[in-house]
Amino acid sequence: MESSRNLLLPSFLYSPSSLSFNATPNLTIPPTTMDSDPKAAPFPVPSPIEPAKPKTKIEMYSPAFYAACTAGGILSCGLTHMAVTPLDLVKCNMQIDPAKYKSISSGFGVLLKEQGARGFFRGWVPTLLGYSAQGACKFGFYEYFKKYYSDIAGPEFATKYKTLIYLAGSASAEVIADIALCPFEAVKVRVQTQPGFARGLSDGLPKFVRSEGVLGLYKGLVPLWGRQIPYTMMKFASFETIVENIYKYAIPTPKDQCSKSLQLGVSFAGGYVAGVFCAIVSHPADNLVSFLNNAKGATVGDAVKKLGLWGLFTRGLPLRIVMIGTLTGAQWGIYDAFKVFVGLPTTGGVAPAVVPAAAEPAKG
């Protein structure tokens, strides 16, 4: 009975050496197999299957990190601005010709009657390309400048004056982003507000250059900076602050323990509220950009004289609040969703406390 039982078990389980804790198990084939074929070589013992390695995460502040942020910015800005082209089209025409486009509803009615449903997306190509270029620079350089200024300030001052770092980082990024956007914005406004000027970017850009020269594409750069730099400073600084306060006061669970879906919901909510502030701060300059790009040879003084100070601050503002609030919320949602997709944490949250070196417990 004993010998028959041994035939069914590996030899190292019943060999005398297996009783010793210091002995190495005898990983050979049972004797019966070897006896049946003395020339047979022992078959190799397969190695254990190694566990799958976890997905490689992008190292923070590495070139791959900034490349991912740049790609996220392209998606978030390009897609969202293209999606709201009909709202932007009505807004621009209300700013240029308020007598004809008296309100949002009548503006849509006029466009539908004169240009049909296809007219609502006139200028979508320069919108997509222009704001994709702007988003790449805006988000990519913001992450770079935020880290750069934080390193200059040092850990203690970076935490103490984090809002100033958000403002400085976003302003620096937007200066570069608007240089990329400006030519596309000039053509977009002309296509959207002057029916018959051009069908889109392919014929509108060369026609614009023939009419006003290459430098004419940058005629609206200073007003664009005046619109976009305050907008972006408010967009990033208020978003970071709002998200930090949501995690600090409204959600009892630490951010790193919250689900990704909850974190993305916080990003959208924080972005929407930040967008309302952005629209109010940047609206006068937005009216100037639309006016200057539509009228050849016009100046800022001409715009103020025609629109008036009250009109400069209020004309088209309700529509822009709705548009920019939705736009900004969607942008932060898409941007952070892309970061999660590539293995990066979402933007914002409670900053970790800085522990001074002297306060660390002595080792040993």
Side-chain angles (χ1 to χ4, degrees), residues 7 35 56 63 71 79 107 127 204 210 248 259 300 339:
L7 295 178
D35 292 342
T56 303
L79 295 178
T127 298
R210 285 195 302 269
K248 186 182 292 185
S259 66
V300 174
K339 289 176 75 175

Side-chain angles (χ1 to χ4, degrees), residues 98-326:
K100 183 176 181 180
Y101 299 88
K102 297 182 175 61
S103 65
I104 297 173
S105 57
S106 66
F108 276 107
V110 170
L111 285 173
L112 182 63
K113 181 179 179 180
E114 293 185 351
Q115 303 177 34
R118 293 181 62 182
F120 288 134
F121 280 90
R122 194 169 73 248
W124 71 270
V125 174
T127 298
L128 174 63
L129 297 181
Y131 283 95
S132 292
Q134 185 212 38
C137 299
K138 184 198 298 275
F139 283 91
F141 280 108
Y142 171 69
E143 298 286 2
Y144 171 80
F145 283 118
K146 183 169 69 170
K147 176 68 164 57
Y148 179 73
Y149 294 144
S150 295
D151 289 344
I152 292 176
E156 184 176 356
F157 288 107
T159 301
K160 186 176 182 180
Y161 300 108
K162 58 181 178 290
T163 301
L164 292 178
I165 289 175
Y166 300 150
L167 292 170
S170 57
S172 301
E174 191 59 37
V175 169
I176 301 171
D178 288 344
I179 295 173
L181 169 65
C182 194
F184 298 97
E185 182 76 0
V187 176
K188 177 189 77 72
V189 171
R190 190 68 61 88
V191 168
Q192 289 181 336
T193 59
Q194 291 187 10
F197 172 76
R199 295 187 304 275
L201 181 67
S202 60
D203 57 338
L205 180 59
K207 189 174 182 179
F208 194 107
V209 172
R210 285 195 302 269
S211 173
E212 302 191 31
V214 175
L215 292 180
L217 293 170
Y218 288 92
K219 181 179 64 175
L221 180 59
V222 173
L224 189 62
W225 276 335
R227 180 188 79 183
Q228 290 297 131
I229 291 176
Y231 167 89
T232 302
M233 292 170 71
M234 179 66 72
K235 173 179 180 174
F236 283 86
S238 61
F239 172 81
E240 297 264 15
T241 303
I242 291 166
V243 168
E244 179 177 338
N245 285 315
I246 289 175
Y247 284 116
K248 186 182 292 185
Y249 300 112
I251 299 177
T253 307
K255 177 188 173 182
D256 58 357
Q257 298 178 23
C258 295
S259 66
K260 295 302 182 184
S261 58
L262 177 59
Q263 292 184 38
L264 293 177
V266 170
S267 295
F268 177 82
Y272 194 97
V273 176
V276 174
F277 295 136
C278 292
I280 296 171
V281 167
S282 63
H283 192 65
D286 183 63
N287 274 321
L288 286 177
V289 170
S290 296
F291 185 89
L292 293 176
N293 283 324
N294 182 68
K296 183 177 180 179
T299 64
V300 174
D302 296 333
V304 174
K305 184 183 296 185
K306 182 172 182 179
L307 300 176
L309 285 176
W310 179 251
L312 205 61
F313 278 85
T314 60
R315 182 172 293 170
L317 180 59
L319 177 58
R320 193 157 187 268
I321 286 177
V322 174
M323 185 181 80
I324 296 300
T326 306

